[in-house]
Amino acid sequence: MGARGTVGDKWSQRILWFSAIGTAISLYMVAVERQAQNRARAMSEGLMGETTSGEEV
């Protein structure tokens, strides 16, 4: 009986680690995507700012 408990604990610990690693990877990918979106938004705002300032001159 004791051996079954240790095997179960080992597998539950592995599942916990896999889910923790998967969560970390997911959060990293979300952060990278948001950074790319912010960079694109900043570039488009920068370009729009240049075109509007050029029109005013």
Side-chain angles (χ1 to χ4, degrees), residues 21-43:
I21 291 170
T23 302
I25 291 171
S26 299
L27 289 174
Y28 173 76
M29 292 176 71
V30 168
V32 168
E33 180 64 26
R34 286 187 181 174
Q35 187 177 16
Q37 288 176 355
N38 288 340
R39 186 178 297 127
R41 186 181 307 125
M43 288 185 69

Side-chain angles (χ1 to χ4, degrees), residues 2-23:
R4 296 181 94 189
T6 56
V7 170
D9 290 343
K10 185 190 294 185
W11 279 105
S12 63
Q13 188 175 8
R14 287 181 183 174
I15 292 169
L16 181 66
W17 273 108
F18 283 134
S19 63
I21 291 170
T23 302

